[in-house]
Every structure is written in C-alpha cells, then in structure tokens.
Amino acid sequence: MTTVFKKDNCSILKKKDNYELQIKKINQKFENFLLESLNINNIVTEKKCLKTGICKINFKASNVVSLKKLINNKKYLNYQKLSYLFLFLKKQILFLKENNVGILFLSIDDIVCIENDKIMYFLFLNSNYLFEINENQMLVTKSFEKKNATNFLSPELLNVNSIPFDINYKCVYFSLASLVAFCINGKKIDIYKPMNWGEDDFKLILQPIENTKLYWALLRCREVNPNDRYLLWI
C-alpha cells in the first residue's frame, strides 16, 4: 500500500482496488462525520474499528490527492472545482454544527480531493481543532499557529492572545471564504489592513468569478460580525 495523504491522526492509503482512510484516536462524532462525508454515490465499501483505536474506512475512487498538491499541479482551480470545494466543505461544516461541533479554522494541509465518476469531492481531515459548540460559542483549549501560511484564520481568531478562550463557531465561515479565494490564484489576503480586513483586496481576487453564486457566497462568509456570516448558495 502507498500513502497518498498523512496529517496528524489521519492518513489515506492506496490499495490494489480502492483506498483506505485510517484515523487514530477517533471520536464518535468525527467518525460519523467522515462516514457521512464519504457516503456519496455509495463509495464506502467497508468500515472497521480495531481494538488499537484505529478506525479503517475503505472507499472507491479513481484518484485521491491533497488539495495542496492539486493546486500545485493544476496551477489553481477553475470555477467548477472552486464551487465543489466550497459546497462540500460547507456541507461538512453544517453537518458538524448539527452535532454541536465546530471547526476552529481550515488549512490547505487538512483537505483532500477525491475523484470519482468525473466528480471531485473535497474532504476535511483533521480532528485536532474540533470543539463543542454551546450557545454559538466554542471554548478553545489548544494553541494554534498564527503565522502558518497554510492556515486561514478569522480576524477574531488572530486577535486572541491567551488560552483558553471563547469564540463564535462561525469563525470557520471566514476561514472557508479565505481558503476558496486563495485557490483562485494563490494570493492570500492581509486581513490586518485597517478598517475593512482587506475587503478591497479580497474583491479584487474574486474578479474572475464576479457576480456568480460563488462570489456572493464568499462575501457572505466574510462579514465583520460573525453573527452576520452565512453559508448560502443562492
């Protein structure tokens, strides 16, 4: 077997006829999340959890590649792939929210692309920054890297100076918009700019997709007030 993706407690191995996702020290909600996310077109063929604490999920795919490698190979993504990226991550974020779990932020390093039947699925694979949601807030008890170029953080997260802290679960909405925008042309927004968190630069990056459903969806995710952010596709 060949390892095609590995990050912290998750890895994907290429077998002879399919792929195997392995997760160490999994919690039940994250396991349900992965099964729900992978259970598209019945691509999951087998699931088993070992006494060692490793859960193995076998699934069918024509190809699996990390988002980071996909971007490097394709020189960033076209509108269709950008839309898939937004819509699949949106679905996963909302599924976790239904189970009172939030994601602190997204990273290029935590996402894989699964190709099957000419459709691309994007899957988030990192349980290290999942936190329980209580009254729209997450109590964060882990440190994180502010200066990691592959992490996409919301302004309120960048302003955190001590741990633990409470943060609105919609911080990941801002992160999602920034991640998808980065995949247009590889430019990352300086959200420390005064007044508008780099909003003018953000709109410039979105010019290739201006006035599309994705364009407006990304702008809705970057509202200054987290309570005003929405994951909508209309």
Side-chain angles (χ1 to χ4, degrees):
M1 292 189 290
T2 304
T3 301
V4 296
F5 176 87
K6 186 173 179 61
K7 177 70 187 288
D8 298 325
N9 58 350
C10 295
S11 60
I12 296 179
L13 308 177
K14 180 174 175 54
K15 303 171 74 175
K16 183 178 179 180
D17 298 318
N18 59 11
Y19 289 84
E20 182 174 274
L21 169 62
Q22 295 187 358
I23 312 101
K24 298 178 182 177
K25 297 181 180 179
I26 196 170
N27 63 56
Q28 189 61 49
K29 288 185 178 180
F30 192 59
E31 179 185 332
N32 292 341
F33 156 73
L34 290 174
L35 284 170
E36 173 73 15
S37 301
L38 279 171
N39 197 23
I40 304 168
N41 290 352
N42 298 315
I43 67 172
V44 174
T45 57
E46 182 184 15
K47 174 203 137 184
K48 56 184 176 182
C49 292
L50 309 178
K51 292 181 180 180
T52 57
I54 297 177
C55 183
K56 297 183 178 182
I57 301 173
N58 290 317
F59 63 94
K60 298 176 291 184
S62 56
N63 188 41
V64 175
V65 62
S66 68
L67 177 58
K68 192 179 211 176
K69 187 173 181 180
L70 178 68
I71 289 174
N72 291 336
N73 291 345
K74 301 286 186 181
K75 303 303 180 186
Y76 305 101
L77 306 183
N78 62 26
Y79 181 79
Q80 183 183 50
K81 293 182 177 67
L82 290 166
S83 299
Y84 284 152
L85 177 62
F86 177 83
L87 290 170
F88 280 111
L89 292 179
K90 165 183 172 286
K91 180 179 179 180
Q92 291 161 43
I93 290 168
L94 293 177
F95 176 82
L96 285 171
K97 173 60 173 63
E98 289 175 0
N99 288 274
N100 296 316
V101 175
I103 303 172
L104 189 60
F105 61 85
L106 298 173
S107 169
I108 288 281
D109 295 334
D110 297 338
I111 299 166
V112 295
C113 172
I114 300 171
E115 297 179 74
N116 192 52
D117 295 332
K118 299 182 180 180
I119 297 178
M120 283 186 165
Y121 311 104
F122 290 92
L123 181 64
F124 170 78
L125 283 176
N126 189 348
S127 63
N128 287 333
Y129 292 102
L130 301 182
F131 298 94
E132 294 288 331
I133 298 173
N134 184 22
E135 296 183 351
N136 292 334
Q137 298 290 308
M138 299 186 296
L139 175 61
V140 179
T141 55
K142 290 183 180 179
S143 61
F144 57 94
E145 295 183 60
K146 288 187 179 182
K147 295 183 179 180
N148 188 331
T150 64
N151 294 343
F152 292 84
L153 310 181
S154 66
E156 61 267 29
L157 189 52
L158 284 169
N159 288 331
V160 168
N161 294 314
S162 62
I163 295 172
F165 61 91
D166 287 308
I167 193 167
N168 191 296
Y169 78 93
K170 289 187 177 182
C171 59
V172 74
Y173 291 18
F174 193 103
S175 178
L176 174 60
S178 300
L179 170 69
V180 175
F182 174 79
C183 293
I184 295 175
N185 57 17
K187 293 182 180 179
K188 194 168 183 181
I189 304 297
D190 179 9
I191 61 174
Y192 278 122
K193 285 191 174 182
M195 300 303 294
N196 66 355
W197 293 356
E199 189 67 23
D200 295 336
D201 290 340
F202 187 71
K203 288 181 178 178
L204 284 175
I205 286 178
L206 297 188
Q207 279 186 345
I209 63 167
E210 192 172 9
N211 291 327
T212 61
K213 286 185 178 182
L214 181 60
Y215 174 84
W216 297 113
L218 297 182
L219 289 182
R220 289 185 197 100
C221 291
R222 278 181 57 96
E223 290 290 341
V224 174
N225 185 340
N227 291 316
D228 294 334
R229 298 172 191 161
Y230 293 96
L231 286 175
L232 293 177
W233 184 262
I234 53 176

